Amino acid sequence: MRIFGIDPGSARTGYGCVDSDGSRHRLVACGALAPAPGAALPERLHRIHDGLERLLAEHRPDFVAIENLFHARN
């Protein structure tokens, strides 16, 4: 089975894709989508959407897992 994980964020969205048979796991792809830092929020979200759409079409996962969002201050 192929699983695609997403770590959402408006500045940077991480992703990882693994193949697993339940006991063995193989990394397929990983990285981050990071739109231009000076871009307005709608533009950043649009670029992240386009990037995820492309990655999901390319890797065709069986399942997608999305980390819960939380807001905090440094």
Side-chain angles (χ1 to χ4, degrees):
M1 100 180 73
R2 180 163 285 186
I3 304 162
F4 192 93
I6 301 171
D7 180 8
S10 58
R12 181 178 15 240
T13 294
Y15 66 89
C17 186
V18 295
D19 281 336
S20 177
D21 65 6
S23 61
R24 293 181 161 205
H25 316 292
R26 181 179 68 85
L27 178 65
V28 175
C30 64
L33 301 168
L41 181 59
E43 178 62 25
R44 290 195 317 257
L45 295 176
H46 181 72
R47 290 189 180 271
I48 290 168
H49 173 273
D50 287 351
L52 287 174
E53 188 175 52
R54 179 183 49 79
L55 288 164
L56 291 168
E58 177 183 345
H59 296 294
R60 302 187 52 80
D62 299 304
F63 300 96
V64 175
I66 303 173
E67 183 178 4
N68 283 335
L69 288 175
F70 66 94
H71 300 278
R73 288 186 176 208
N74 291 335

